[in-house]
């Protein structure tokens, strides 16, 4: 989830938000170097403090709505990893999955604290009509019905969530241009999310022989490289993953260092394409989650 995209959305409904936190930018201006000081997972708590200081009084209902929307999505991701790790014998690679789980739970804590500090009531799991990780729209009989009994399926769903998250994150980056503080921190966290996706892809390839790279590698006819046709939409969108034009340049027309033309696989692997918020919602709702 793009935490800094959340800030951008808040600024749309509260134009004074940027001014509220401006005197405190020193608290986050060096976030790009946080990796040498504290774990990147701690960044949400630093931002939570900014929310508390920015909103000494109750925030508008529009601001609360933006934060609660983000919290709903984070609850989905955190619940997925929490549930998987709680299933005895399901997760073989506990170090990898626990690391990702901790990040997602930290995001939930950050958003919950931020909403409370802003005078709002954070949503909780009780506010969700259902969470269905089988992709069955609340009936728990979707294409991933064995997600919590078959580790291969669990990793496949995890890969899809992580790849989609990276694309959704990039979809918000353009909104941060002109605000170096937030953009720098957002890109630092984006890199961590990409490593999550890479780790899950590595596990699928190394443990089960799935023919995938640690990064999305498309073909001219297919954006989805996971081998799971049910998630084609996660790799499509207005700008699908097999897009080969960047900055108005056709990457396929460029000559490689070996003198050959650039392939679709190489061109698509070099860039992550963005998903809009509407595209992300169309993927997740109602197949995986819905609110009451």
């Amino acid at each position: 989830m793009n935490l800094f995209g959340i800030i951008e959305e808040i600024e749309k409904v509260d134009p004074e938000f940027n001014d509220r936190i401006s005197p405190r930018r020193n608290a986050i201006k060096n976030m790009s170097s946080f990796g040498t000081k504290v774990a990147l997972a701690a960044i949400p708590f630093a931002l939570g403090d900014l929310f508390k200081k920015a909103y000494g009084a109750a925030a508008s209902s529009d601001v609360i709505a933006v934060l609660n929307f983000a919290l709903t999505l984070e609850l989905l991701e955190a619940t997925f990893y929490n549930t998987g790790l709680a299933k005895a014998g399901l997760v073989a690679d506990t170090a990898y999955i626990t690391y990702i789980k901790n990040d997602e739970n930290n995001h939930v804590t950050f958003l919950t604290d931020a909403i409370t500090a802003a005078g709002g009531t954070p949503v909780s799991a009780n506010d969700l009509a259902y969470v269905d990780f089988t992709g069955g729209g609340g009936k728990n009989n979707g294409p991933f019905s064995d997600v919590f009994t078959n580790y291969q399926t669990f990793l496949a769903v995890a890969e899809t969530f992580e790849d989609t998250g990276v694309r959704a994150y990039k979809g918000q980056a353009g909104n941060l241009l002109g605000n170096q503080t937030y953009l720098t921190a957002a890109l630092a966290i984006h890199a961590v999310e990409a490593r999550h996706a890479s780790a899950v892809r590595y596990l699928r390839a190394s443990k089960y022989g799935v023919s995938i790279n640690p990064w999305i590698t498309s073909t001219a006819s297919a954006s989805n490289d996971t081998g799971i046709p049910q998630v084609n939409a996660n790799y499509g969108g207005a700008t699908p993953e097999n897009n080969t034009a960047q900055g108005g340049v056709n990457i396929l027309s460029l000559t490689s260092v070996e003198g050959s033309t650039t392939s679709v696989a190489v061109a698509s692997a070099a860039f992550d394409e963005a998903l809009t918020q509407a595209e992300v919602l169309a993927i997740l709702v109602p197949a995986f989650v819905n609110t009451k």
Side-chain angles (χ1 to χ4, degrees):
M1 183 67 187
N2 185 355
L3 298 177
F4 296 90
I6 295 168
I7 293 176
E8 180 70 15
E9 292 299 315
I10 290 174
E11 288 177 342
K12 292 179 182 178
V13 296
D14 182 1
E16 296 180 355
F17 180 79
N18 197 47
D19 293 334
R20 294 176 194 263
I21 68 170
S22 182
R24 304 176 179 93
R25 284 184 178 175
N26 286 338
I28 60 172
K29 69 179 182 179
N30 292 319
M31 277 188 177
S32 60
S33 63
F34 264 30
T36 60
K37 301 175 183 177
V38 297
L40 279 173
I43 289 179
F45 298 105
L47 292 175
D49 184 60
L50 288 180
F51 276 103
K52 291 177 182 178
K53 293 178 179 178
Y55 290 109
S60 72
S61 59
D62 287 339
V63 170
I64 299 300
V66 169
L67 292 175
N68 265 323
F69 171 74
L71 178 55
T72 301
L73 298 181
E74 287 297 339
L75 281 168
L76 174 67
E77 296 175 340
T79 301
F80 174 74
Y81 290 108
N82 290 342
T83 303
L85 282 165
K87 297 291 184 180
L90 173 65
V91 176
D93 309 284
T94 55
Y96 283 100
I97 303 305
T98 299
Y99 180 88
I100 297 172
K101 180 209 73 170
N102 289 342
D103 279 353
E104 303 301 349
N105 281 283
N106 284 341
H107 294 167
V108 169
T109 300
F110 153 64
L111 288 167
T112 299
D113 288 348
I115 292 167
T116 301
T121 301
V123 298
S124 69
N126 292 331
D127 297 306
L128 302 179
Y130 62 80
V131 174
D132 183 355
F133 294 111
T134 74
K139 298 179 180 179
N140 292 306
N141 62 354
F144 310 109
S145 58
D146 61 345
V147 62
F148 293 126
T149 58
N150 185 328
Y151 189 46
Q152 292 191 53
T153 304
F154 177 85
L155 288 178
V157 175
E159 177 188 354
T160 303
F161 278 149
E162 296 300 334
D163 283 345
T164 302
V166 171
R167 296 191 67 198
Y169 210 114
K170 184 172 182 178
Q172 295 297 319
N175 295 331
L176 301 178
L177 294 176
N179 193 322
Q180 185 175 356
T181 299
Y182 295 149
L183 181 60
T184 300
L187 293 179
I189 295 179
H190 175 268
V192 174
E193 294 297 325
R195 286 197 289 273
H196 288 176
S198 180
V200 175
R201 284 172 158 265
Y202 167 78
L203 291 176
R204 290 192 71 213
S206 62
K207 294 181 73 70
Y208 301 111
V210 179
S211 182
I212 53 174
N213 290 320
W215 48 84
I216 300 171
T217 307
S218 304
T219 66
S221 60
S223 293
N224 179 8
D225 68 337
T226 65
I228 311 167
Q230 295 92 337
V231 298
N232 283 342
N234 299 63
Y235 301 87
T239 308
E241 277 295 323
N242 63 352
N243 174 51
T244 57
Q246 300 293 337
V249 176
N250 181 3
I251 305 299
L252 302 183
S253 67
L254 302 179
T255 303
S256 72
V257 293
E258 298 175 347
S260 60
T261 56
T262 303
S263 67
V264 173
V266 171
S268 64
F271 298 90
D272 287 315
E273 302 299 344
L275 281 174
T276 67
Q277 186 180 80
E279 288 169 338
V280 173
L281 287 176
I283 290 168
L284 297 179
V285 180
F288 291 96
V289 66
N290 215 337
T291 56
K292 293 178 180 177

